Amino acid sequence: MARRYDPGRRTRIIDAALSVIAAEGMAGLSHRTVAAEADVPLGSTTYHFDSLDDLLVAALRRCNENFVQALRDSGVFDAEPGGGGSEADLADELARLLDRWFAGERGAIELEYELYLAALRRPALRPVAAEWTEEAVGLLSRRTDPGTARALVALMDGVCLQVLLAGGGLDAAYTREMLARIVAGGG
């Protein structure tokens, strides 16, 4: 019997892993649950991904790519450092961006952070988690100096985690004030 050519199978497996994690958390992830979700033979998951860590790296990388694209599409990072917008504007824009993210469905944000935090126990994920941070710092460095950009990313990460873990809403005014303090202290 000839092997069926299926160029989209690897992508479907990654999508299925993200679906399983979104529905059941990291504890529900196995080659078997992913194969069932992707509607592929179990051997396909192990053919494309030797280990669950390999699959998780691909899933986190996909989340990173989607998140960074959303950041780029937001327009917040279009101005050059020192021009095209004040420090207050940057703090306002970042607070509005966070507010928009939390005003919508939280599922994507929860999924991204679940994978991001999985790096605490899975060393294979750490370089990919660091890639996200570096991408975000690189984008913010278009509007401010790299040290301030790194501090802004750390604050936004902390705010996101607090909102997700506490189950409440984002306090946009307070977030804007904290972002403004960082921006004013940098650049």
Side-chain angles (χ1 to χ4, degrees), residues 5-164:
Y5 179 67
D6 186 356
R9 187 171 288 194
R10 185 177 195 281
T11 299
R12 282 198 326 276
I13 292 169
I14 296 168
D15 292 342
L18 292 170
S19 293
V20 168
I21 296 166
E24 301 176 36
M26 293 291 292
L29 186 73
S30 69
H31 280 286
R32 190 170 306 284
T33 58
V34 171
E37 180 71 23
D39 195 26
V40 299
L42 178 59
S44 290
T45 63
T46 57
Y47 173 80
H48 289 285
F49 302 98
D50 290 336
S51 68
L52 281 180
D53 279 352
D54 291 342
L55 179 55
L56 285 168
V57 164
L60 180 56
R61 189 159 277 129
R62 168 81 58 76
C63 282
N64 286 355
E65 290 165 359
N66 292 343
F67 187 74
V68 169
Q69 190 59 50
L71 289 176
R72 285 187 183 115
D73 293 347
S74 73
V76 170
F77 309 100
D78 294 339
E80 293 299 318
S86 69
E87 292 174 346
D89 290 340
L90 177 58
D92 283 340
E93 291 168 27
L94 291 172
R96 277 195 302 274
L97 181 63
L98 289 173
D99 196 38
R100 275 196 312 269
W101 287 341
F102 282 106
E105 170 59 42
R106 288 188 183 202
I109 298 171
E110 290 172 357
L111 175 63
E112 290 164 5
Y113 272 93
E114 185 159 3
L115 281 165
Y116 184 62
L117 292 174
L120 291 170
R121 300 268 183 212
R122 294 181 177 262
L125 296 176
R126 290 178 186 157
V128 184
E131 288 172 14
W132 178 89
T133 301
E134 293 309 314
E135 285 275 353
V137 168
L139 287 170
L140 272 169
S141 292
R142 295 178 183 177
R143 295 283 304 268
T144 189
D145 66 277
T148 300
R150 190 165 298 284
L152 288 168
V153 168
L155 175 65
M156 292 188 313
D157 261 348
V159 166
C160 288
L161 281 171
Q162 287 178 359
V163 171
L164 290 170

